[in-house]
Amino acid sequence: MDVSPLVWTLTVLGILGLLAFDYFFHVRRAHVPTLREAAIWSSLYVGIALLFGVGTLVLGGTAMGSEYFAGYITEKALSVDNLFVFLIIMTSFRVPREDQQKVLLVGIVFSLIARTGFILLGSALINTFSWVFYLFGLALLITAGNMFKPQTEESHSAQNVVVRISRRLFRTTDHYDGDKLFTVQDGRRVMTPMLLVMVAIGGTDLMFALDSIPAIFGLTQNVYIVFTATAFSLLGLRQLYFLLDGLLDRLIYLSYGLAVILGFIGVKLVLHALHENNVPFINNGEHVEVGEIGTGLSLAVILVVLVITVFASLFSTRGRTQTAMANARRDATAYLDSEYTRDPDERERIFKRLVESRDHIVALGPKAKQIVKNEPELLELCRLAAASHERAMADGQHPVASFHDGGPSPLDSSKYPRPPSSLDGSGSQT
């Protein structure tokens, strides 16, 4: 089905309108979104994407509709996996909670622009050189192999090349000035970390596009479907980030599931390349009689793999422990950071989650030493956060007096003494 220029124009205007609405009605005013707010708007954007898919199915036919849903689900799953890296970047740069929405929206807009460029380039290459399918398939197979390697927070770095160059070429400050990209320090105009974190996320988005665009071209070569599936998978990603906050680390098998999906699409691309072959040194430039994988089967495989990996992650003891470990470390660090948020309710929320995470780790007993890395340092961070919370409660700075109806703090350091190999008060290793 050919898509008319009018449909293209209306689609692009609709997507731009949703981005503008997102900015002016949600992101422009810095605030910490509640779980309810994130759930409502995330559901709305997913609903819009599904309705668009139904419309494509009705107006464009079964094949076109199936290609859209296969592409959308794959791109959405890849986007969720990318949120884990965004979380690491914003934690590394200590982005204030109120301003994280703007950073994410800028990253989404940059990603949409970059991926549109990659889509147009990929389409031009495919229409000109059929052997490009070999390259796309090989790239996905290599990516799938790399995703089977264990990945932790330490395996990602927010300090990418662009950020390091920016720090060398320009004067930067270590502190934020609201959501400003530049500020004045000692009479000189300098960059704030806000601009650097946007550069880091933008640079990371470019790397993500190198994986996601070949993946969706492996499911469909219809440029309209590739563009809309990619765009709708990115819309609502900001709300999804806050909705899944605290659960991202629990999806410990998601990367393995995505590796299987990307490997499957890589094989699909290679089979298609063999079928369309005109490379002289392969079968003398003639096409190879091989079976091809249909869109319906692709959609079924994608759904089954995602369901299995998500449920396996959610019911995994190791997944729950890894979530508790990551949440405890991030929440304690954020609670001790005076610049993390100005919202007392947000501080109370992360402290309550810190209590739950710490209790889970302590309840493991000796098992924690096998699963949790740097357990003494982690418990020391909890102790320091507890002391800070008790001082704030004594000064009347928190809206919630206590979690035990007037009793002692759940992280009272007298209950959990300082571990022998922990951090001292100055933050240095003992």
Side-chain angles (χ1 to χ4, degrees), residues 160-205:
N160 59 30
V161 176
V162 178
V163 172
R164 290 198 295 269
I165 293 175
S166 300
R167 287 189 183 276
R168 286 187 179 182
L169 296 180
F170 305 100
R171 289 177 57 87
T172 61
T173 176
D174 294 330
H175 301 284
Y176 290 87
D177 186 4
D179 59 2
K180 294 180 181 178
L181 304 182
F182 294 89
T183 189
V184 177
Q185 186 179 65
D186 299 328
R188 300 185 64 178
R189 187 175 176 82
V190 296
M191 284 196 309
T192 69
M194 182 63 69
L195 181 57
L196 291 178
V197 72
M198 289 180 178
V199 170
I201 286 185
T204 306
D205 273 330

Side-chain angles (χ1 to χ4, degrees), residues 2-271:
D2 293 328
V3 179
S4 68
L6 177 61
V7 173
W8 266 104
T9 302
L10 292 176
T11 302
V12 171
L13 289 176
I15 291 171
L16 292 177
L18 288 173
L19 289 172
F21 176 83
D22 213 12
Y23 174 76
F24 287 105
F25 289 93
H26 292 100
V27 177
R28 192 175 186 182
R29 181 181 64 84
H31 71 285
V32 180
T34 63
L35 183 63
R36 182 174 181 273
E37 176 186 342
I40 290 174
W41 288 105
S42 183
S43 301
L44 179 64
Y45 278 106
V46 171
I48 292 173
L50 295 179
L51 283 176
F52 182 87
V54 172
T56 303
L57 193 67
V58 172
L59 300 177
T62 304
M64 195 172 179
S66 300
E67 289 175 355
Y68 169 81
F69 280 112
Y72 172 74
I73 293 170
T74 301
E75 292 295 305
K76 197 68 173 180
L78 288 169
S79 297
V80 171
D81 191 52
N82 297 343
L83 286 180
F84 177 67
V85 183
F86 290 168
L87 176 63
I88 295 172
I89 289 175
M90 286 199 279
T91 301
S92 174
F93 279 97
R94 300 171 52 244
V95 180
R97 185 71 168 177
E98 290 86 350
D99 298 319
Q100 289 181 4
Q101 293 194 93
K102 182 167 290 187
V103 172
L104 286 169
L105 185 60
V106 169
I108 289 169
V109 172
F110 182 89
S111 180
L112 186 56
I113 294 172
R115 294 184 192 209
T116 300
F118 279 118
I119 289 169
L120 296 176
L121 177 61
S123 177
L125 289 174
I126 287 172
N127 290 330
T128 307
F129 310 105
S130 61
W131 50 262
V132 169
F133 287 110
Y134 286 115
L135 295 182
F136 282 1
L138 181 61
L140 290 182
L141 290 173
I142 293 174
T143 301
N146 289 333
M147 292 184 76
F148 276 110
K149 297 177 182 178
Q151 296 186 0
T152 62
E153 293 191 23
E154 290 77 15
S155 64
H156 299 284
S157 175
Q159 304 293 333
N160 59 30
V161 176
V162 178
V163 172
R164 290 198 295 269
I165 293 175
S166 300
R167 287 189 183 276
R168 286 187 179 182
L169 296 180
F170 305 100
R171 289 177 57 87
T172 61
T173 176
D174 294 330
H175 301 284
Y176 290 87
D177 186 4
D179 59 2
K180 294 180 181 178
L181 304 182
F182 294 89
T183 189
V184 177
Q185 186 179 65
D186 299 328
R188 300 185 64 178
R189 187 175 176 82
V190 296
M191 284 196 309
T192 69
M194 182 63 69
L195 181 57
L196 291 178
V197 72
M198 289 180 178
V199 170
I201 286 185
T204 306
D205 273 330
L206 285 176
M207 298 181 63
F208 292 157
L210 296 176
D211 298 333
S212 66
I213 298 306
I216 194 169
F217 269 118
L219 297 169
T220 176
Q221 286 82 58
N222 187 316
V223 178
Y224 182 76
I225 295 299
V226 172
F227 173 76
T228 52
T230 301
F232 281 115
S233 71
L234 293 173
L235 292 173
L237 195 60
R238 173 186 63 81
Q239 295 87 344
L240 192 62
Y241 173 87
F242 291 96
L243 182 62
L244 296 181
D245 181 31
L247 292 177
L248 288 173
D249 298 283
R250 189 162 174 176
L251 300 176
I252 59 173
Y253 299 125
L254 179 61
S255 61
Y256 299 130
L258 290 174
V260 172
I261 291 172
L262 292 181
F264 172 80
I265 298 175
V267 171
K268 184 177 187 291
L269 278 168
V270 172
L271 291 175

